[in-house]
């Protein structure tokens, strides 16, 4: 069906730079680096609308006076742009996050922005960028006129697609959506229609418009099911997984993200290293223990990235080249990084090869794409999954704290769910430990997690009160007792109910058989 189109813009990495600049959880050096990246991109791509949207003195999103102002001279964020067929309330899944009703590049921060490093406003620069945009639009308009008079429909659509790509490049959300919708209506080729909808999804992700993302993912799914090729179907899987991650549907996102690891081609969406992080975090919090072992702990793609001890080894893994390290089955994965002296006993072994040849798709080679990958320290994530599986809960708590500060609070897709994720991971560890005991002392349990008895008592209480943890605490005896009767009673009731349903179906079937027999006689 042809190569995918409209992949260049918008660049979602710029949205991450905006988040880093405004987030209160990022370091000053990271803010300075993001500021430089953002300023260079604004000048290079002539992004006048995005510049006004972010830095305008009255309406700029990352300026204190503009956080609650109107959207004058900036891309309008209106509900009319969601292209929703109905005005009904969003689904339950979309009510899990507070930024649903206020789509904005920094909406996930909940108004808690850090302006210590700001994007300065330069009126002369804005006028210059705006004039450049107008020149480009005039040239495109002339090209459209020439195509209308002298060329055919294909040339006219090509000129109109340039206009849509221009608006996507400069960060004008409303204009880009409008032009892409016009292209969608005029295009008859299914593959191009899918590419247009995927571009709209990226615009929605860029401006963190979750309703717009949901609607267009449904559109793309319908189009792909009607005859889309394998590549576009595979790309949509990654898009859908990332969207589900942003609305806290980790149980739905995990299968999609984990399946995308071995066939990833959506480099316009996120780097492969980021996909590994997203898939690992989603799978760890949502998968049952057996699936967690096979799909996360033992996943060859995850083991290859986590087991790379140096940038060169990681490049080999990302480019699909054989690793120089030992085979993936030479040793069991170890998770406690506190004993760093015994490196051979704690390091994750490297598999001999990784199926990442899909990284070579597109204009850049696999090695070039691997070099462009962000540099993560994956050791906390590796320790997190291994210590949880092996029951090393003290190391698990330390790794969870590091993951919170180094990953969850640093990413625009994960930041909004940081507290929820950490709480769910603590609950998962508590359930796993208590599953092996009927009664366990608070002191022993606190020692296992490396916390005080008072802290553990306070942390367990909300889970028990909400009946998410089937246990009781006896502070007089200093023990935690698990409650298993309700689970067995529930299983008994399910068996009785299902048995009644089966008997009813058999009785109806028997009546039909007897009736037909009497008719034959």
């Amino acid at each position: 069906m042809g190569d995918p189109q409209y992949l260049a813009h918008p660049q979602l990495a710029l949205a991450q730079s905006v988040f880093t600049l405004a987030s209160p959880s990022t370091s000053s050096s990271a803010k300075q680096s993001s500021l430089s990246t953002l300023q260079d991109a604004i000048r290079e791509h002539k992004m006048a609308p995005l510049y006004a949207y972010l830095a305008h003195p009255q309406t700029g999103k990352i300026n204190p006076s503009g956080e609650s102002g109107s959207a004058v001279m900036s891309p309008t964020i209106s509900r009319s742009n969601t292209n929703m067929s109905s005005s009904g309330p969003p689904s339950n899944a979309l009510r899990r996050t507070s930024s649903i009703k206020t789509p904005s590049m920094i909406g996930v921060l909940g108004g808690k922005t850090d302006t210590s490093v700001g994007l300065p406003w330069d009126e002369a620069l804005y006028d210059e960028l705006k004039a450049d945009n107008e020149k480009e639009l005039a040239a495109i308009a002339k090209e459209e006129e020439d195509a209308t008079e002298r060329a055919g429909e294909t040339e006219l659509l090509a000129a109109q697609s340039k206009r849509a790509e221009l608006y996507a490049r400069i960060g004008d959300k409303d204009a880009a959506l409008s032009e892409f919708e016009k292209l969608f209506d005029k295009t008859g080729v299914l593959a191009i229609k899918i590419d247009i909808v995927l571009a709209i999804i990226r615009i929605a992700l860029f401006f963190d418009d979750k309703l717009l993302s949901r609607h267009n993912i449904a559109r793309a799914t319908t189009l792909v099911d009607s005859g889309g090729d394998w590549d576009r179907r595979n790309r949509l899987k990654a898009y859908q997984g990332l969207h589900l991650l942003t609305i806290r549907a980790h149980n739905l996102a995990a299968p999609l993200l984990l399946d995308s690891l071995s066939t990833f081609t959506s480099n316009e969406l996120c780097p492969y290293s980021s996909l590994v992080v997203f898939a690992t975090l989603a799978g760890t919090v949502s998968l049952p223990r057996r699936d967690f072992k096979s799909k996360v702990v033992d996943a060859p793609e995850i083991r290859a990235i986590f087991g790379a001890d140096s940038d060169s080894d990681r490049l080999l893994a990302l480019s699909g080249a054989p690793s120089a390290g030992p085979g993936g089955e030479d040793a069991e994965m170890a998770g406690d990084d506190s004993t760093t002296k015994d490196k051979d006993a704690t390091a994750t072994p490297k598999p001999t090869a990784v199926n990442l040849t899909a990284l070579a798709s597109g204009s850049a080679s696999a090695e070039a794409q691997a070099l462009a990958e962000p540099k993560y320290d994956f050791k906390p994530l590796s320790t997190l999954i291994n210590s949880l599986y092996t029951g090393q809960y003290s190391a698990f708590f330390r790794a969870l704290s590091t993951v919170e500060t180094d990953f969850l609070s640093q990413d625009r897709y994960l930041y909004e769910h940081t507290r929820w994720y950490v709480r769910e991971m603590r609950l998962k560890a508590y359930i796993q430990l208590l599953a092996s005991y009927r009664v366990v002392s608070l002191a022993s349990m606190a020692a296992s997690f490396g916390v005080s008895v008072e802290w553990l008592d306070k942390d367990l209480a909300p889970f028990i009160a909400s009946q998410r943890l089937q246990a009781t605490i006896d502070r007089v005896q200093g023990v935690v007792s698990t409650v298993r009767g309700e689970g067995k009673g529930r299983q008994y009731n399910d068996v009785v109910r299902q048995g009644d349903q089966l008997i009813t179906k058999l009785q109806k079937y028997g009546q039909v058989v007897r009736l037909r027999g009497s008719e034959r006689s």
Side-chain angles (χ1 to χ4, degrees):
M1 286 190 174
D3 294 333
Q5 301 183 32
Y6 313 116
L7 298 180
H9 302 286
Q11 296 181 359
L12 295 179
L14 286 181
Q16 175 63 36
S17 296
V18 173
F19 168 82
T20 303
L21 190 62
S23 173
S25 62
T26 53
S27 64
S28 178
S29 59
K31 291 180 184 295
Q32 292 291 344
S33 177
S34 297
L35 175 62
S36 177
T37 300
L38 189 58
Q39 288 177 323
D40 292 343
I42 288 174
R43 291 188 176 91
E44 178 183 356
H45 300 300
K46 316 295 183 185
M47 306 176 78
L50 184 66
Y51 184 41
Y53 174 78
L54 295 174
H56 192 270
Q58 280 76 43
T59 61
K61 291 294 181 180
I62 56 178
N63 285 330
S65 59
E67 289 175 4
S68 59
S70 62
V72 180
M73 300 177 68
S74 65
T76 304
I77 309 298
S78 63
R79 288 270 58 85
S80 61
N81 287 327
T82 61
N83 298 317
M84 299 294 287
S85 58
S86 64
S87 58
S91 65
N92 292 333
L94 287 177
R95 285 200 289 264
R96 303 181 189 193
T97 55
S98 60
S99 61
I100 296 294
K101 298 181 180 179
T102 56
S104 166
M105 294 185 72
I106 57 173
V108 296
L109 297 175
K112 300 177 182 179
T113 57
D114 180 8
T115 59
S116 60
V117 179
L119 179 62
W121 173 255
D122 187 338
E123 191 73 34
L125 174 61
Y126 173 74
D127 292 338
E128 178 185 346
L129 297 175
K130 189 175 180 181
D132 291 336
N133 294 161
E134 292 173 352
K135 289 179 182 178
E136 288 190 65
L137 289 171
I140 293 174
K142 181 149 188 336
E143 185 176 346
E144 289 180 359
E145 292 178 3
D146 295 340
T148 303
E149 296 175 359
R150 305 175 186 175
E153 187 68 20
T154 302
E155 289 75 10
L156 178 60
L157 286 176
Q160 292 174 339
S161 67
K162 291 182 180 179
R163 183 188 299 272
E165 289 184 288
L166 170 64
Y167 284 129
R169 189 195 79 202
I170 65 179
D172 193 331
K173 179 187 177 184
D174 284 352
L177 292 176
S178 176
E179 292 299 323
F180 274 123
E181 289 296 340
K182 292 177 183 177
L183 275 178
F184 183 88
D185 294 336
K186 295 179 181 179
T187 300
V189 182
L190 178 61
I192 298 179
K193 282 181 174 288
I194 296 173
D195 293 340
I196 291 172
V197 177
L198 292 180
I200 293 175
I201 296 172
R202 290 198 307 278
I203 293 174
L205 290 172
F206 188 85
F207 289 99
D208 195 28
D209 193 335
K210 296 178 175 66
L211 290 175
L212 182 62
S213 295
R214 183 190 65 170
H215 173 62
N216 283 280
I217 284 175
R219 290 174 70 190
T221 302
T222 302
L223 292 170
V224 167
D225 290 342
S226 66
D229 61 352
W230 177 88
D231 180 67
R232 289 171 174 83
R233 187 182 299 273
N234 186 54
R235 288 178 184 275
L236 178 60
K237 187 190 301 182
Y239 280 63
Q240 188 176 6
L242 185 57
H243 165 68
L244 290 170
L245 193 72
T246 65
I247 63 172
R248 200 179 292 173
H250 290 63
N251 59 325
L252 302 178
L256 296 170
L257 295 173
L258 290 168
D259 287 345
S260 299
L261 288 176
S262 59
T263 58
F264 183 69
T265 58
S266 305
N267 298 100
E268 75 282 358
L269 189 64
C270 66
Y272 184 78
S273 297
S274 298
L275 180 73
V276 172
V277 173
F278 298 151
T280 302
L281 292 173
T284 302
V285 75
S286 63
L287 293 179
R289 182 173 174 83
R290 180 177 298 178
D291 293 339
F292 172 59
K293 169 67 172 175
S294 61
K295 297 181 179 180
V296 178
V297 178
D298 288 341
E301 295 84 7
I302 294 177
R303 291 176 67 131
I305 303 301
F306 286 3
D309 295 328
S310 64
D311 291 340
S312 59
D313 290 340
R314 192 164 292 118
L315 281 176
L316 290 173
L318 289 168
S319 59
S323 170
E329 298 179 355
D330 288 351
E332 292 294 327
M333 297 178 72
D336 189 356
D337 60 353
S338 63
T339 57
T340 55
K341 293 182 180 181
D342 190 2
K343 186 176 181 180
D344 293 337
T346 58
T348 304
K350 297 179 283 292
T352 55
V354 187
N355 182 20
L356 299 180
T357 55
L359 282 174
S361 63
S363 57
S365 66
E367 183 177 357
Q369 293 181 22
L371 288 171
E373 291 285 323
K375 294 184 179 180
Y376 290 120
D377 181 7
F378 291 103
K379 290 181 180 179
L381 270 177
S382 177
T383 303
L384 181 78
I385 63 176
N386 287 287
S387 58
L388 176 62
Y389 184 76
T390 57
Q392 302 177 29
Y393 298 111
S394 179
F396 167 77
F397 261 30
R398 292 196 299 271
L400 182 61
S401 176
T402 306
V403 167
E404 178 184 2
T405 56
D406 292 355
F407 291 94
L408 298 175
S409 63
Q410 304 297 315
D411 189 276
R412 64 188 295 257
Y413 299 123
L414 305 174
Y415 178 87
E416 193 174 14
H417 317 295
T418 298
R419 294 180 62 184
W420 171 87
Y421 188 90
V422 173
R423 184 172 64 250
E424 291 299 309
M425 289 299 293
R426 294 201 310 268
L427 174 61
K428 192 178 184 76
Y430 294 149
I431 293 175
Q432 180 174 293
L433 183 142
L434 292 175
S436 303
Y437 301 95
R438 284 190 175 274
V439 179
V440 61
S441 70
L442 273 172
S444 174
M445 189 172 177
S448 297
F449 285 97
V451 297
S452 66
V453 173
E454 290 74 16
W455 188 95
L456 181 63
D457 180 31
K458 185 178 179 180
D459 198 45
L460 290 174
F463 296 129
I464 296 174
S466 60
Q467 297 185 350
R468 300 196 64 198
L469 189 61
Q470 301 300 321
T472 59
I473 300 177
D474 186 343
R475 283 308 305 269
V476 176
Q477 299 294 329
V479 297
V480 179
S481 303
T482 57
V483 180
R484 304 181 187 274
E486 293 184 3
K488 292 182 180 180
R490 191 182 304 112
Q491 292 176 2
Y492 174 78
N493 292 331
D494 290 342
V495 170
V496 173
R497 185 181 68 255
Q498 294 171 4
D500 289 341
Q501 293 174 354
L502 178 60
I503 292 173
T504 302
K505 291 180 180 179
L506 289 174
Q507 290 174 346
K508 291 181 179 179
Y509 177 73
Q511 292 173 359
V512 172
V513 170
R514 286 194 297 270
L515 178 60
R516 290 180 178 177
S518 62
E519 289 177 351
R520 286 196 298 269
S521 62

